[in-house]
Amino acid sequence: MSKPPTIDRIAEYQGKRVVIRGWLYNKRHSGKIWFLLIRDGTGIIQGTVSKKDVDEETFEICSRVTMESSLQIEGVVRRDERAPGGYEIQIERIEIVQIAREYPIAKKEHGVGFLMAHRHLWLRSKKQVAIARIRAEVVRSIRDFFDRNGFLLVDAPILTPTSVEGTTTLFPVEYFDRKVYLTQSGQLYNEAAAAAFGRVYCFGPTFRAEKSKTRRHLTEFWMVEPEVAFIDLDGLIELAEELIVSIVTRVLEERRRELEILERDLTHLEKVKRPLPRISYDEAVKLVQQQNPDFKWSDDFGGRDMTIISEQFDLPFTIHHFPVSTKAFYMKVDRKRAELSESFDCYAPEGYGEIIGGGMREDDYDRLLKRIEEEGLPKGVYDWYLDLRRYGSFPHGGFGLGLERTVAWICGIHHLRETIAFPRLIDHVSP
Ligand code: 4AD
Ligand code: MG
């Protein structure tokens, strides 16, 4: 397929006449020259219109055309050190597609409420475009990582009768004459797929009715979940670390310009290499107790506790072997210390919090059944899951990496709402 000229590849057209279709990003004039900033989705380029070179109508269009009007320009590409991006187009013709009405997002600062209500337009801004491109790169790097390492992509269903991560965050859906839920995680299906294919991953949207408003929680978020047969906890943590390093390396290679637009401090990302720090839950508790004496062994780490721990590290780090009581029903119990689970979480540095949760799965039929009963889960819908422990049970484990949390950290974005085109939050479903 031959590609029409686009702004990202404008250098290839130096000295040539091109047609660019897009939108007016901004404009200014100085005497007899108009400077139009045009964006086409691949970038922004400056177009100059000199009164002496164009007919009267073309020059007049420049004063009339409004921000975000759609248009087509034709002109010659010139190298110009002073132009943003190093190239500009000497415009000869302008065709207006539509003159935009007064654009609601001005250059001035807007409140977040206003921007969220105009998310469909906010997406066009430079910073949002940069984030979206980095997100797409992260997705690509994740797929490449698993495809390259012998994992088979097996998609998990969205509609499911089973809870995975607790029953308090389920979104119920009417399914003909019964009730099902939007999936919280593809893990249980992944486990079945791992028994069929060895190494698998699923990658899709997951849903949690998170009732609190925090900068780290969406109600709809994307998760990539690998699941591996015949692995151990060490092997899993190694896989998680390799994945994190591989994502960061790729974004640094391919999306440096976008990181610069976001004014990301690259020194934090450039040092992300293995070995990455690992500590046990026991060790983490000791760290926390030095500053928060009220913290008890078996507590979950709160926001303040996580800050205490993460201050120790300037790299992504892992905490492993959490108490059984803090983890979900499927987590394998450590056979040497029954109060511990073979679990781990990975955290991003700089206060971004947990990006990965995972561990080994309980592969003993009786123990798993007991846990399902203890949690008061409806046994019937887990019967197929128990089959995996009836027919060739096997040591296996996996994890889930939250896409939006990973993108927020890599981009240095404070709130998850900017890491997905159309975020879903407790108080936000439109646009
Ligand atoms: O730690 P979680 O709950 O683990 C699981 O769902 C496992 N079943 C995954 C597995 O082992 N296959 O979630 C995994 C990750 C978190 O570390 C976090 O990055 C992200 O998913 N996450 C969220 N991201 C945005 N908004 C939310 N409400 C999230 N909840 C979890
Ligand atoms: Mg978790």
Side-chain angles (χ1 to χ4, degrees):
M1 198 176 89
S2 78
K3 288 196 225 154
T6 47
I7 295 170
D8 58 341
R9 293 168 28 251
I10 211 70
E12 297 168 27
Y13 296 88
Q14 190 177 336
K16 299 208 177 97
R17 172 166 287 104
V18 294
V19 171
I20 298 281
R21 297 184 182 90
W23 296 263
L24 185 73
Y25 191 69
N26 214 344
K27 66 174 188 181
R28 67 186 171 87
H29 74 122
S30 114
K32 297 194 165 126
I33 304 184
W34 273 102
F35 298 94
L36 307 183
L37 283 181
I38 316 284
R39 58 170 197 89
D40 72 346
T42 72
I44 297 177
I45 194 157
Q46 175 171 292
T48 55
V49 187
S50 318
K51 196 169 172 112
K52 64 175 176 27
D53 297 335
V54 296
D55 58 36
E56 222 165 277
E57 196 201 333
T58 305
F59 200 72
E60 184 268 331
I61 287 176
C62 297
S63 51
R64 205 154 49 85
V65 66
T66 52
M67 208 174 141
E68 288 302 321
S69 290
S70 40
L71 43 74
Q72 171 174 315
I73 58 158
E74 190 176 335
V76 176
V77 179
R78 302 255 179 252
R79 179 104 184 93
D80 188 329
E81 296 296 342
R82 292 160 306 174
Y87 291 88
E88 63 171 32
I89 299 179
Q90 267 179 353
I91 297 179
E92 293 167 4
R93 266 168 53 82
I94 304 177
E95 250 177 64
I96 299 291
V97 180
Q98 193 234 350
I99 293 278
R101 299 174 194 199
E102 195 181 342
Y103 194 59
I105 301 184
K107 285 280 169 259
K108 67 171 198 285
E109 288 280 313
H110 290 288
V112 161
F114 180 88
L115 290 172
M116 285 292 277
H118 293 84
R119 182 67 181 163
H120 52 297
L121 303 178
W122 187 21
L123 277 185
R124 303 180 188 187
S125 76
K126 234 186 197 166
K127 201 174 134 187
Q128 298 306 316
V129 169
I131 297 169
R133 286 194 185 283
I134 291 172
R135 176 185 168 108
E137 195 66 54
V138 170
V139 170
R140 219 170 1 246
S141 72
I142 289 171
R143 291 198 181 283
D144 285 350
F145 176 86
F146 287 114
D147 294 343
R148 209 174 51 227
N149 285 296
F151 285 75
L152 183 70
L153 174 70
V154 181
D155 299 312
I158 306 278
L159 296 170
T160 169
T162 46
S163 75
V164 187
E165 299 298 327
T167 50
T168 59
T169 60
L170 287 168
F171 274 119
V173 177
E174 261 176 54
Y175 191 76
F176 305 103
D177 56 350
R178 56 183 292 198
K179 194 168 70 178
V180 297
Y181 308 102
L182 297 178
T183 184
Q184 296 170 311
S185 154
Q187 179 194 319
L188 308 188
Y189 299 97
N190 260 353
E191 291 183 48
F197 306 107
R199 291 153 84 84
V200 296
Y201 72 103
C202 65
F203 196 173
T206 47
F207 305 84
R208 300 205 190 164
E210 305 281 2
K211 277 139 202 135
S212 53
K213 283 198 221 175
T214 87
R215 68 187 182 97
R216 296 199 184 94
H217 290 90
L218 298 170
T219 54
E220 178 176 328
F221 60 98
W222 282 63
M223 185 155 54
V224 61
E225 300 179 82
E227 191 72 28
V228 187
F230 302 107
I231 195 166
D232 60 14
L233 187 61
D234 261 355
L236 272 181
I237 298 175
E238 194 178 309
L239 183 68
E241 291 173 344
E242 280 173 357
L243 174 63
I244 293 170
V245 172
S246 147
I247 295 170
V248 172
T249 308
R250 171 77 80 87
V251 174
L252 281 170
E253 278 165 15
E254 301 292 331
R255 293 290 158 208
R256 208 162 263 269
R257 207 178 48 152
E258 284 77 9
L259 291 170
E260 278 158 14
I261 290 171
L262 299 173
E263 296 172 20
R264 181 70 169 111
D265 181 350
L266 298 186
T267 56
H268 291 289
L269 301 178
E270 275 161 347
K271 59 185 166 211
V272 177
K273 305 224 165 65
R274 294 186 71 223
L276 296 173
R278 301 177 185 182
I279 59 169
S280 65
Y281 175 86
D282 288 347
E283 290 167 314
V285 168
K286 282 192 199 122
L287 278 176
V288 170
Q289 283 173 340
Q290 286 169 12
Q291 291 180 52
N292 175 12
D294 294 336
F295 190 94
K296 293 188 309 298
W297 195 97
S298 87
D299 283 351
D300 256 330
F301 300 119
R304 185 180 151 214
D305 310 314
M306 262 338 290
T307 309
I308 297 171
I309 302 169
S310 60
E311 271 165 2
Q312 311 291 315
F313 305 105
D314 58 357
L315 285 168
F317 63 94
T318 296
I319 303 180
H320 53 85
H321 288 101
F322 287 85
V324 172
S325 58
T326 67
K327 291 288 175 188
F329 72 95
Y330 54 73
M331 213 58 102
K332 183 164 181 166
V333 173
D334 188 323
R335 302 296 193 253
K336 292 197 245 29
R337 269 179 73 186
E339 73 280 20
L340 295 183
S341 62
E342 289 199 47
S343 53
F344 76 102
D345 287 346
C346 299
Y347 302 82
E350 304 171 73
Y352 279 92
E354 182 193 323
I355 54 171
I356 287 181
M360 297 297 293
R361 321 308 188 187
E362 186 52 72
D363 46 40
D364 179 80
Y365 177 89
D366 295 320
R367 285 172 185 260
L368 182 61
L369 181 61
K370 192 157 159 264
R371 286 291 289 132
I372 289 173
E373 285 167 350
E374 278 169 6
E375 297 282 322
L377 295 169
K379 246 188 310 189
V381 292
Y382 292 92
D383 201 45
W384 68 263
Y385 184 63
L386 285 160
D387 263 359
L388 308 175
R389 282 73 181 167
R390 289 187 186 104
Y391 305 111
S393 194
F394 60 121
H396 65 286
F399 60 82
L401 171 134
L403 178 62
E404 288 76 14
R405 296 221 188 140
T406 306
V407 172
W409 161 54
I410 291 179
C411 291
I413 296 294
H414 181 72
H415 198 296
L416 250 48
R417 67 185 157 225
E418 288 183 56
T419 60
I420 181 164
F422 296 101
R424 295 292 173 254
L425 300 150
I426 185 169
D427 58 353
H428 182 92
V429 280
S430 172

Coordinates of all heavy atoms in Angstrom, one line a residue, residues 287-343:
L287 N 10.6 -3.1 57.8 CA 10.8 -1.7 57.3 C 9.7 -0.8 57.7 O 9.9 0.3 58.2 CB 10.8 -1.7 55.7 CG 12.1 -2.1 55.0 CD1 11.9 -2.1 53.5 CD2 13.2 -1.1 55.4
V288 N 8.4 -1.3 57.5 CA 7.3 -0.4 57.8 C 7.2 -0.1 59.3 O 7.0 1.0 59.8 CB 6.0 -1.1 57.3 CG1 4.7 -0.4 57.9 CG2 5.9 -1.2 55.8
Q289 N 7.5 -1.2 60.1 CA 7.3 -1.0 61.6 C 8.3 0.0 62.2 O 8.0 0.6 63.2 CB 7.5 -2.4 62.3 CG 6.2 -3.2 62.1 CD 6.3 -4.6 62.6 OE1 7.4 -5.2 62.8 NE2 5.2 -5.3 62.9
Q290 N 9.5 0.2 61.5 CA 10.4 1.2 62.0 C 9.7 2.6 62.1 O 10.1 3.4 62.9 CB 11.6 1.3 61.1 CG 12.6 0.1 61.2 CD 13.6 0.0 60.1 OE1 13.8 1.0 59.4 NE2 14.3 -1.1 60.1
Q291 N 8.8 2.8 61.1 CA 8.2 4.2 61.1 C 6.7 4.1 61.5 O 6.1 5.2 61.8 CB 8.3 4.8 59.7 CG 9.8 5.1 59.4 CD 9.9 5.8 58.0 OE1 9.2 6.7 57.7 NE2 10.8 5.2 57.2
N292 N 6.1 3.0 61.4 CA 4.7 2.8 61.8 C 4.5 1.7 62.7 O 4.2 0.5 62.3 CB 3.9 2.7 60.5 CG 2.4 2.4 60.7 OD1 1.9 2.6 61.9 ND2 1.7 2.0 59.7
P293 N 4.7 1.9 64.0 CA 4.7 0.8 65.0 C 3.4 0.1 65.1 O 3.3 -1.0 65.6 CB 5.1 1.5 66.3 CG 5.2 2.9 66.1 CD 5.0 3.2 64.6
D294 N 2.3 0.7 64.7 CA 1.0 0.1 64.7 C 0.8 -1.0 63.7 O -0.2 -1.8 63.8 CB -0.1 1.1 64.5 CG -0.2 2.2 65.6 OD1 0.3 1.8 66.7 OD2 -0.6 3.3 65.4
F295 N 1.7 -1.1 62.7 CA 1.5 -2.1 61.7 C 1.7 -3.5 62.2 O 2.7 -3.8 62.9 CB 2.5 -1.8 60.5 CG 2.2 -2.6 59.3 CD1 1.4 -2.2 58.3 CD2 2.7 -3.9 59.2 CE1 1.1 -2.9 57.2 CE2 2.4 -4.7 58.1 CZ 1.6 -4.2 57.0
K296 N 0.7 -4.4 62.0 CA 0.9 -5.8 62.5 C 1.2 -6.7 61.3 O 0.7 -6.5 60.2 CB -0.5 -6.2 63.1 CG -0.8 -5.5 64.4 CD -2.0 -6.1 65.1 CE -3.2 -6.3 64.2 NZ -3.8 -5.1 63.6
W297 N 1.9 -7.7 61.6 CA 2.2 -8.8 60.6 C 0.8 -9.3 60.2 O 0.0 -9.6 61.1 CB 3.0 -9.9 61.3 CG 3.6 -10.8 60.2 CD1 4.8 -10.8 59.7 CD2 2.9 -12.0 59.6 NE1 5.0 -11.8 58.7 CE2 3.9 -12.5 58.7 CE3 1.7 -12.5 59.7 CZ2 3.6 -13.6 57.9 CZ3 1.4 -13.7 58.9 CH2 2.3 -14.2 58.0
S298 N 0.6 -9.5 59.0 CA -0.7 -9.9 58.4 C -1.6 -8.8 57.9 O -2.6 -9.0 57.2 CB -1.6 -10.9 59.2 OG -2.4 -10.1 60.1
D299 N -1.2 -7.5 58.3 CA -1.9 -6.4 57.7 C -1.5 -6.2 56.2 O -0.4 -6.6 55.8 CB -1.5 -5.1 58.4 CG -2.2 -4.9 59.8 OD1 -3.1 -5.7 60.1 OD2 -1.8 -4.0 60.5
D300 N -2.5 -5.6 55.5 CA -2.2 -5.2 54.1 C -1.4 -3.8 54.2 O -1.7 -3.1 55.1 CB -3.5 -5.0 53.4 CG -3.8 -6.1 52.4 OD1 -2.8 -6.7 51.9 OD2 -5.0 -6.4 52.1
F301 N -0.5 -3.6 53.3 CA 0.2 -2.3 53.3 C -0.8 -1.2 52.8 O -1.4 -1.3 51.7 CB 1.4 -2.3 52.4 CG 2.4 -3.4 52.8 CD1 2.7 -4.4 51.9 CD2 3.0 -3.3 54.0 CE1 3.7 -5.4 52.3 CE2 3.9 -4.3 54.4 CZ 4.2 -5.3 53.5
G302 N -0.9 -0.2 53.7 CA -1.7 1.0 53.3 C -0.9 1.9 52.5 O 0.3 1.7 52.3
G303 N -1.5 3.0 52.1 CA -0.8 4.0 51.3 C 0.5 4.5 51.9 O 1.6 4.6 51.3
R304 N 0.4 4.8 53.2 CA 1.6 5.4 54.0 C 2.7 4.3 54.1 O 3.9 4.6 53.9 CB 1.1 5.8 55.4 CG 2.2 6.5 56.2 CD 1.6 6.9 57.6 NE 2.7 6.8 58.5 CZ 2.6 6.5 59.8 NH1 1.4 6.2 60.3 NH2 3.6 6.5 60.6
D305 N 2.2 3.0 54.3 CA 3.2 1.9 54.5 C 4.0 1.7 53.1 O 5.2 1.5 53.1 CB 2.5 0.6 54.8 CG 1.6 0.9 56.0 OD1 2.0 1.5 57.0 OD2 0.4 0.4 56.0
M306 N 3.2 1.8 52.0 CA 3.8 1.6 50.7 C 4.9 2.7 50.5 O 5.9 2.5 49.9 CB 2.8 1.6 49.6 CG 2.3 0.3 49.1 SD 3.3 -1.1 49.3 CE 4.7 -0.8 48.2
T307 N 4.5 3.9 50.9 CA 5.5 5.0 50.7 C 6.8 4.7 51.5 O 7.9 4.9 51.0 CB 4.9 6.4 51.3 OG1 3.6 6.5 50.6 CG2 5.8 7.5 50.9
I308 N 6.6 4.2 52.7 CA 7.8 3.9 53.5 C 8.7 2.8 52.8 O 9.9 3.0 52.7 CB 7.4 3.3 54.9 CG1 6.6 4.4 55.7 CG2 8.6 2.8 55.7 CD1 6.0 3.9 57.0
I309 N 8.0 1.8 52.3 CA 8.8 0.8 51.6 C 9.4 1.3 50.3 O 10.6 1.1 50.0 CB 7.9 -0.5 51.2 CG1 7.2 -1.0 52.5 CG2 8.7 -1.5 50.6 CD1 6.1 -2.0 52.3
S310 N 8.6 2.0 49.5 CA 9.1 2.4 48.2 C 10.2 3.4 48.3 O 11.0 3.6 47.3 CB 8.0 2.8 47.2 OG 7.3 3.8 47.7
E311 N 10.3 4.1 49.4 CA 11.4 5.1 49.5 C 12.7 4.4 49.5 O 13.8 5.0 49.3 CB 11.2 5.9 50.8 CG 10.4 7.1 50.6 CD 9.9 7.7 51.9 OE1 10.3 7.2 53.0 OE2 9.2 8.7 51.9
Q312 N 12.7 3.1 49.8 CA 14.0 2.3 49.8 C 14.5 2.0 48.4 O 15.7 1.6 48.3 CB 13.8 0.9 50.5 CG 13.1 1.0 51.9 CD 14.0 1.7 52.9 OE1 15.2 1.4 53.0 NE2 13.4 2.6 53.7
F313 N 13.7 2.1 47.4 CA 14.0 1.7 46.1 C 13.9 2.7 45.0 O 12.9 3.5 45.0 CB 13.2 0.5 45.7 CG 13.2 -0.6 46.7 CD1 12.2 -0.9 47.6 CD2 14.3 -1.5 46.8 CE1 12.2 -1.9 48.5 CE2 14.4 -2.5 47.7 CZ 13.3 -2.7 48.6
D314 N 14.8 2.8 44.1 CA 14.5 3.7 42.9 C 14.4 2.9 41.7 O 14.6 3.4 40.6 CB 15.6 4.8 42.8 CG 17.0 4.1 42.7 OD1 17.1 2.9 42.7 OD2 18.0 4.9 42.5
L315 N 14.0 1.6 41.8 CA 13.8 0.7 40.7 C 12.5 0.0 41.0 O 12.0 0.0 42.1 CB 14.9 -0.3 40.6 CG 16.3 0.1 40.1 CD1 17.3 -1.0 40.4 CD2 16.2 0.3 38.6
P316 N 11.9 -0.6 39.9 CA 10.7 -1.5 40.2 C 11.2 -2.6 41.2 O 12.3 -3.1 41.0 CB 10.4 -2.1 38.8 CG 11.0 -1.2 37.9 CD 12.2 -0.6 38.5
F317 N 10.3 -2.9 42.1 CA 10.8 -4.0 43.1 C 9.6 -4.9 43.4 O 8.5 -4.6 43.1 CB 11.3 -3.3 44.4 CG 10.2 -2.5 45.1 CD1 9.4 -3.1 46.1 CD2 9.9 -1.2 44.8 CE1 8.4 -2.4 46.8 CE2 8.9 -0.5 45.4 CZ 8.2 -1.1 46.5
T318 N 10.0 -6.1 44.0 CA 9.0 -7.1 44.2 C 8.9 -7.4 45.7 O 10.0 -7.5 46.4 CB 9.5 -8.4 43.5 OG1 9.5 -8.2 42.1 CG2 8.6 -9.6 43.8
I319 N 7.7 -7.6 46.2 CA 7.5 -8.2 47.5 C 6.9 -9.6 47.3 O 5.9 -9.7 46.6 CB 6.6 -7.3 48.4 CG1 7.2 -5.9 48.5 CG2 6.4 -7.9 49.8 CD1 6.3 -4.9 49.3
H320 N 7.4 -10.6 48.0 CA 6.9 -11.9 47.8 C 6.6 -12.6 49.2 O 6.9 -12.1 50.2 CB 7.9 -12.8 47.1 CG 9.3 -12.8 47.7 ND1 9.7 -13.6 48.7 CD2 10.4 -12.0 47.4 CE1 11.0 -13.4 49.0 NE2 11.4 -12.4 48.3
H321 N 5.8 -13.7 49.1 CA 5.4 -14.5 50.3 C 4.5 -13.6 51.2 O 4.9 -13.4 52.4 CB 6.6 -15.1 51.0 CG 7.2 -16.2 50.2 ND1 8.4 -16.1 49.5 CD2 6.8 -17.5 50.1 CE1 8.7 -17.2 48.9 NE2 7.7 -18.1 49.3
F322 N 3.4 -13.2 50.7 CA 2.4 -12.5 51.6 C 1.7 -13.5 52.4 O 1.5 -14.7 52.1 CB 1.4 -11.8 50.7 CG 1.9 -10.6 50.0 CD1 2.6 -10.7 48.8 CD2 1.8 -9.3 50.6 CE1 3.1 -9.5 48.1 CE2 2.3 -8.2 49.9 CZ 2.9 -8.3 48.7
P323 N 1.1 -13.1 53.5 CA 0.3 -14.0 54.4 C -0.9 -14.5 53.5 O -1.5 -13.7 52.7 CB -0.2 -13.1 55.5 CG 0.7 -11.9 55.5 CD 1.2 -11.7 54.1
V324 N -1.3 -15.7 53.8 CA -2.4 -16.4 53.1 C -3.7 -15.5 53.2 O -4.4 -15.3 52.3 CB -2.7 -17.8 53.7 CG1 -4.0 -18.4 53.1 CG2 -1.5 -18.7 53.4
S325 N -3.8 -14.9 54.4 CA -5.0 -14.2 54.7 C -5.2 -12.9 53.9 O -6.3 -12.4 53.8 CB -5.0 -13.8 56.2 OG -3.9 -13.0 56.5
T326 N -4.1 -12.4 53.3 CA -4.2 -11.2 52.5 C -4.5 -11.5 51.0 O -4.6 -10.6 50.2 CB -2.9 -10.3 52.6 OG1 -1.9 -11.0 51.9 CG2 -2.5 -10.0 54.0
K327 N -4.5 -12.8 50.6 CA -4.6 -13.1 49.2 C -5.8 -13.9 48.9 O -6.5 -14.4 49.7 CB -3.3 -13.8 48.8 CG -2.1 -13.0 48.8 CD -2.1 -11.9 47.7 CE -0.9 -11.0 47.7 NZ -1.0 -9.9 46.7
A328 N -6.1 -14.0 47.6 CA -7.3 -14.7 47.1 C -7.3 -16.2 47.3 O -6.2 -16.8 47.6 CB -7.5 -14.4 45.6
F329 N -8.4 -16.8 47.1 CA -8.6 -18.2 47.4 C -7.7 -19.2 46.7 O -7.4 -20.3 47.1 CB -10.1 -18.6 47.2 CG -10.4 -18.7 45.7 CD1 -10.4 -19.9 45.0 CD2 -10.8 -17.6 45.0 CE1 -10.7 -20.0 43.7 CE2 -11.1 -17.6 43.7 CZ -11.1 -18.8 43.0
Y330 N -7.3 -18.8 45.5 CA -6.6 -19.7 44.6 C -5.1 -19.8 44.9 O -4.3 -20.5 44.3 CB -6.8 -19.3 43.1 CG -6.4 -17.8 42.9 CD1 -5.0 -17.4 42.9 CD2 -7.4 -16.9 42.7 CE1 -4.7 -16.1 42.7 CE2 -7.0 -15.5 42.5 CZ -5.7 -15.2 42.5 OH -5.3 -13.9 42.3
M331 N -4.6 -18.9 45.8 CA -3.1 -18.8 46.0 C -2.6 -20.0 46.7 O -3.2 -20.5 47.6 CB -2.9 -17.5 46.8 CG -1.6 -16.8 46.5 SD -1.4 -16.2 44.8 CE -1.8 -14.5 44.9
K332 N -1.5 -20.5 46.2 CA -0.9 -21.7 46.8 C -0.3 -21.4 48.2 O 0.4 -20.4 48.3 CB 0.2 -22.3 45.8 CG 0.8 -23.6 46.3 CD 1.6 -24.2 45.2 CE 2.2 -25.6 45.7 NZ 2.7 -26.4 44.6
V333 N -0.6 -22.3 49.1 CA 0.0 -22.2 50.4 C 1.4 -22.7 50.4 O 1.7 -23.8 49.9 CB -0.9 -23.0 51.4 CG1 -0.2 -23.0 52.8 CG2 -2.3 -22.3 51.5
D334 N 2.3 -22.0 51.1 CA 3.7 -22.4 51.2 C 3.7 -23.6 52.0 O 3.3 -23.6 53.2 CB 4.5 -21.2 51.8 CG 6.0 -21.5 51.8 OD1 6.4 -22.7 52.0 OD2 6.8 -20.6 51.6
R335 N 4.3 -24.7 51.5 CA 4.3 -26.0 52.2 C 5.2 -26.0 53.4 O 5.1 -26.8 54.3 CB 4.6 -27.2 51.3 CG 3.7 -27.3 50.0 CD 2.2 -27.6 50.5 NE 1.4 -28.0 49.3 CZ 0.5 -27.3 48.7 NH1 0.2 -26.1 49.2 NH2 -0.2 -27.8 47.7
K336 N 6.2 -25.0 53.5 CA 7.1 -25.0 54.6 C 6.6 -24.1 55.7 O 6.9 -24.2 56.9 CB 8.5 -24.5 54.1 CG 9.2 -25.6 53.2 CD 10.6 -25.3 53.1 CE 11.2 -24.9 51.8 NZ 10.8 -24.3 50.7
R337 N 5.8 -23.1 55.3 CA 5.2 -22.1 56.3 C 3.8 -21.9 56.0 O 3.5 -21.1 55.1 CB 6.0 -20.8 56.3 CG 7.2 -20.8 57.3 CD 7.9 -19.4 57.2 NE 7.1 -18.3 57.8 CZ 7.5 -17.1 57.8 NH1 8.6 -16.7 57.2 NH2 6.8 -16.1 58.4
A338 N 2.9 -22.6 56.7 CA 1.5 -22.6 56.2 C 0.8 -21.2 56.3 O -0.3 -21.1 55.8 CB 0.7 -23.6 57.1
E339 N 1.4 -20.3 57.0 CA 0.7 -18.9 57.1 C 1.1 -18.1 55.9 O 0.5 -17.0 55.7 CB 1.1 -18.2 58.4 CG 2.5 -17.7 58.5 CD 3.6 -18.8 58.9 OE1 3.3 -20.0 58.7 OE2 4.7 -18.4 59.3
L340 N 2.0 -18.6 55.0 CA 2.4 -17.8 53.9 C 1.9 -18.4 52.6 O 1.6 -19.6 52.5 CB 3.9 -17.8 53.8 CG 4.7 -17.1 54.9 CD1 6.2 -17.1 54.6 CD2 4.2 -15.7 55.0
S341 N 1.7 -17.5 51.6 CA 1.3 -17.9 50.3 C 2.5 -17.7 49.3 O 3.3 -16.8 49.5 CB 0.1 -17.1 49.8 OG 0.4 -15.7 49.7
E342 N 2.5 -18.5 48.2 CA 3.5 -18.3 47.2 C 3.1 -17.2 46.3 O 2.7 -17.5 45.1 CB 3.7 -19.7 46.5 CG 4.4 -20.7 47.4 CD 5.1 -21.8 46.6 OE1 5.7 -21.5 45.6 OE2 4.8 -23.0 46.9
S343 N 3.1 -16.0 46.8 CA 2.5 -14.9 46.0 C 3.6 -13.8 45.9 O 4.6 -13.8 46.6 CB 1.4 -14.3 46.8 OG 1.7 -14.0 48.1

